[in-house]
Amino acid sequence: MKVTIVGAGAVGASCAEYVAIKNFASEVVLLDIKEGVAEGKAMDLMQTATLNSFDTKITGSTNDYSKTAGSDVAVITSGIPRKPGMTREELIGINAGIVKEVSSKLIEQSPDVTLIVVSNPMDTMTYLVHKTTNLPKNRIIGMGGALDSARFKYRLSEALECPPSDVDGMVIGGHSDTGMVPLTRLATRNSVPVTAFLSEDRLNQVAEDTKVGGATLTKLLGTSAWYAPGAAVSGLVQAIACDQKKMFPCSALLEGEYGLNDLCIGVPAILGKGGLEKIVEIDLDEAEKNKMKESAEGVKKTNGLLEF
């Protein structure tokens, strides 16, 4: 199992570390356009191998895509990150060109690759890859919902004053501060609905804190977060590499599911060796359907800024 991560910045390097520590990949290739950065981070990570008990080989390369040949899964994190006060949508002008070039070069070296898109605005970048490559739709996945859901569960555990492992919940919709749809109605603590523990006002606060989770961290850090995004990506990579059939909310190309067409947006999906193997349609109430529709309209508006 060979995994390539394009973009050796904080998110890419964090993802490489988590993939290596989970010890399911034979090789991880880190690639970056900046001279020496990918090689340096790969070497630094390899020097943790005996300390963290993994055998995954991590190599780095400065923009040499031949090193990525034969990749089973490739992650695209390249592009500029958010700065305080920026929306994900503001990144589209620069990142669209980068993602289009990177995806083309990856597919040239690895025609059977499954691509995971992380670069923002993520739903639109995932849509761009669908429109500009010949990969089947099950092999193009956007990573947003897995991260948003992790942030949702963190906020729920905080409100419940319980261990995070007690909590289950999911965020669907667009990967944006206004587009996320945290499913508070369906969230549980050890199978008990969280509505049994938390008031409607407190749950609304949890949902709002979740939606601005990335912006909150950007304000604190001065740039985008990396630990949770890297961990979320590694979870998707492992589900595909190990054929786990795990369900994650992912940005998928919809063709009628949830009453939506011709856009990529976060929905529950089963991931395995076939990539995105199945979109799971869950019953939403009217309020959730309306929020999903509003989110889709926002994503389509951003998609309209693309130049193919």
Side-chain angles (χ1 to χ4, degrees):
M1 174 57 58
K2 182 174 180 177
V3 177
T4 285
I5 300 165
V6 182
V11 173
S14 175
C15 177
E17 180 178 18
Y18 288 123
V19 169
I21 287 174
K22 291 178 180 180
N23 214 24
F24 61 84
S26 54
E27 183 180 3
V28 172
V29 177
L30 261 179
L31 188 142
D32 200 276
I33 198 168
K34 193 173 180 181
E35 187 72 38
V37 169
E39 292 89 340
K41 290 194 178 183
M43 186 182 295
D44 192 14
L45 285 169
M46 280 305 298
Q47 290 170 5
T48 74
T50 57
L51 299 169
N52 288 325
S53 303
F54 66 80
D55 296 313
T56 301
K57 178 184 177 184
I58 308 171
T59 57
S61 171
T62 301
N63 223 31
D64 181 0
Y65 280 82
S66 68
K67 301 286 179 64
T68 72
S71 293
D72 298 283
V73 181
V75 179
I76 303 175
T77 74
S78 39
I80 58 170
R82 281 206 288 177
K83 298 296 181 185
M86 289 181 74
T87 65
R88 293 180 178 92
E89 290 71 27
E90 289 177 80
L91 306 175
I92 190 169
I94 296 172
N95 287 357
I98 295 171
V99 169
K100 186 176 178 181
E101 180 182 356
V102 167
S103 57
S104 174
K105 289 181 175 179
L106 285 169
I107 294 166
E108 185 180 331
Q109 297 293 331
S110 307
D112 297 321
V113 72
T114 294
L115 294 180
I116 298 176
V117 180
V118 183
S119 308
N120 279 315
M122 183 278 301
D123 296 298
T124 295
M125 294 299 99
T126 305
Y127 182 73
L128 174 68
V129 175
H130 277 284
K131 292 298 181 180
T132 58
T133 71
N134 293 317
L135 281 185
K137 72 172 191 173
N138 60 297
R139 299 220 312 269
I140 303 170
I141 302 165
M143 192 297 292
L147 170 61
D148 300 332
S149 297
R151 289 172 170 163
F152 181 39
K153 287 180 273 190
Y154 158 69
R155 288 300 188 183
L156 281 171
S157 69
E158 183 181 54
L160 290 162
E161 298 182 338
C162 74
S165 58
D166 257 14
V167 178
D168 197 16
M170 181 165 54
V171 176
I172 60 173
H175 183 56
S176 70
D177 299 351
T178 56
M180 293 181 206
V181 184
L183 297 175
T184 53
R185 178 180 63 90
L186 301 177
T188 62
R189 178 182 181 181
N190 277 348
S191 300
V192 180
V194 296
T195 50
F197 304 98
L198 299 173
S199 68
E200 184 178 350
D201 285 347
R202 188 69 182 93
L203 278 172
N204 287 339
Q205 187 60 54
V206 164
E208 291 307 308
D209 288 344
T210 298
K211 289 162 71 173
V212 296
T216 301
L217 287 163
T218 299
K219 185 176 179 180
L220 290 168
L221 296 168
T223 188
S224 296
W226 58 89
Y227 293 123
V233 180
S234 75
L236 269 59
V237 174
Q238 185 176 23
I240 296 165
C242 301
D243 196 26
Q244 291 180 329
K245 313 297 186 190
K246 289 190 75 170
M247 185 166 73
F248 288 96
C250 302
S251 189
L253 182 65
L254 300 188
E255 296 175 319
E257 299 92 348
Y258 291 91
L260 301 172
N261 279 285
D262 193 35
L263 84 163
C264 293
I265 198 167
V267 292
I270 306 299
L271 301 187
K273 65 181 178 182
L276 197 153
E277 296 186 345
K278 181 182 180 182
I279 291 172
V280 179
E281 291 198 68
I282 55 178
D283 290 329
L284 303 177
D285 65 21
E286 283 306 309
E288 292 158 352
K289 286 177 182 176
N290 289 335
K291 288 177 183 177
M292 190 67 164
K293 184 179 178 182
E294 289 173 15
S295 181
E297 288 170 356
V299 171
K300 283 207 167 189
K301 184 177 179 181
T302 306
N303 289 353
L305 302 174
L306 287 172
E307 296 179 5
F308 297 116

